[in-house]
Amino acid sequence: MEAVIKMTVPAARTHVRWRQIADGVLLAGVLATLYIYARVQGLTYAEMSGGAGNGYEILDAGMSMPVQALPDSAIGVIDISGLGGLIAVRKSMEEAPVSVDEDSQALPFVTSIPDIALQMPEADLTDGGKGEEDDVPITALAVSVYGNGGIPELTTFTVEPENFDAASLEIPRRLGKEFDGWYLDAACTKPFDGLAENQKALELYAGWKEFDGFICNDKGHITDYTDLSVATDGILAFPRSPDCTGIEYGSLEGLEDIVMEVYIYTNITYIAPETFDHLYFLMYIEVAPGNPNYYSKDGILYSSSGELVAYPNGRNL
């Protein structure tokens, strides 16, 4: 059967002659093919003119494009996988005019197009397939500082790696001990010597040692000395550290014939009774100004309340 299909196209009236039309679906497919061809060739809806209100709408990746005038023909959902997915054209149900030869009967063509959004393949717009962790820059270093017997026990903070400086860390305090640097382990066998490349976390442990020449208990009181050199030229000076706070009785045994002068700093706030009584050649005891518990006058040691604490035995010879 030979038919002439009339289709209104902007600025032109086109007659397409078909020798056989199986049904309305075949017609829709042909018109869709023509539409896709025009789209690929760069035609836009703005170039078409015609009656408005046809109700066509392209749904592209979930976003609707402006309605433009299209031919008075209904087209369905077309699979264009090679171009990126599905194209859905929506048109309210209308009857497309069809004319045939005089010997034929009029063949109405009616179709409705479902609302289907354009389904586009998902594109990776982030890192081109690379793992996110590979490209994430290190923005901060997590630092944990352990007192390791000292105070504060633990300090944590974050810092930019390039701004980290171990020398600027707060030095913890520990009675009877002197700070000996930062280590990577609690046993203080691995000294810290700098950050590794791309290091994200750091744990530091305070190292400790005895005061130079003296041994103290956990109260910070001197209990012994390491060698006779603590009394240089007969002068015995105790550690000048706030973590050395006193002198226990018997801690100076063996220095009886060496010590002639004793110097006490402001940090020594406890002196056990009779601590200096066995220093036979001791001639002078001096206390630094500002000591809260002791003072000296004419080389004699007094408590802050004025009581006699020690009289130099060398003066009795």
Side-chain angles (χ1 to χ4, degrees), residues 84-106:
L86 297 176
I87 287 183
V89 181
R90 180 170 63 199
K91 186 179 188 301
S92 59
M93 183 175 294
E94 294 180 357
E95 184 173 302
V98 179
S99 64
V100 297
D101 292 339
E102 295 180 356
D103 297 336
S104 307
Q105 296 181 354

Side-chain angles (χ1 to χ4, degrees), residues 136-143 157-164 195 198-202:
V136 175
I138 300 175
T139 57
L141 173 71
V143 182
F157 60 93
T158 57
V159 65
E160 296 294 329
E162 60 271 19
N163 294 331
F164 176 76
L195 294 174
N198 295 329
Q199 187 167 346
K200 298 180 181 179
L202 175 65

Side-chain angles (χ1 to χ4, degrees), residues 175 244 299:
L175 287 175
C244 179

Side-chain angles (χ1 to χ4, degrees), residues 250-316:
S251 60
L252 304 180
E253 291 183 0
L255 300 177
E256 292 86 350
D257 300 331
I258 298 177
V259 176
M260 292 184 292
E261 184 175 337
V262 170
Y263 192 87
I264 302 173
Y265 292 102
T266 57
N267 53 286
I268 302 295
T269 57
Y270 170 78
I271 300 175
E274 303 178 359
T275 295
F276 302 133
D277 287 355
H278 67 294
L279 301 178
Y280 304 127
F281 295 101
L282 180 60
M283 299 293 294
Y284 198 89
I285 301 174
E286 184 173 354
V287 179
N291 190 300
N293 293 344
Y294 302 100
Y295 71 94
S296 61
K297 183 177 181 181
D298 298 330
I300 302 172
L301 180 62
Y302 297 91
S303 67
S304 58
S305 61
E307 297 178 357
L308 176 66
V309 175
Y311 184 86
N313 282 331
R315 295 185 180 186
N316 296 325

Side-chain angles (χ1 to χ4, degrees), residues 65-174:
M65 297 177 64
V67 177
Q68 304 291 343
L70 295 177
D72 292 332
S73 301
I75 58 176
V77 180
I78 302 98
D79 183 358
I80 54 169
S81 300
L83 297 179
L86 297 176
I87 287 183
V89 181
R90 180 170 63 199
K91 186 179 188 301
S92 59
M93 183 175 294
E94 294 180 357
E95 184 173 302
V98 179
S99 64
V100 297
D101 292 339
E102 295 180 356
D103 297 336
S104 307
Q105 296 181 354
L107 176 64
F109 171 61
V110 179
T111 185
S112 61
I113 308 304
D115 295 338
I116 301 179
L118 175 65
Q119 301 175 7
M120 299 296 291
E122 293 185 1
D124 187 356
L125 301 179
T126 56
D127 57 4
K130 298 181 180 179
E132 293 184 0
E133 293 184 358
D134 296 341
D135 295 335
V136 175
I138 300 175
T139 57
L141 173 71
V143 182
S144 299
V145 180
Y146 295 90
N148 202 20
I151 298 175
E153 296 181 356
L154 174 63
T155 302
T156 60
F157 60 93
T158 57
V159 65
E160 296 294 329
E162 60 271 19
N163 294 331
F164 176 76
D165 182 12
S168 65
L169 295 176
E170 178 186 0
I171 303 299
R173 290 187 56 186
R174 182 178 176 182

Side-chain angles (χ1 to χ4, degrees), residues 189-203:
T189 61
K190 301 176 182 178
F192 172 71
D193 57 2
L195 294 174
E197 185 177 358
N198 295 329
Q199 187 167 346
K200 298 180 181 179
L202 175 65
E203 291 186 348

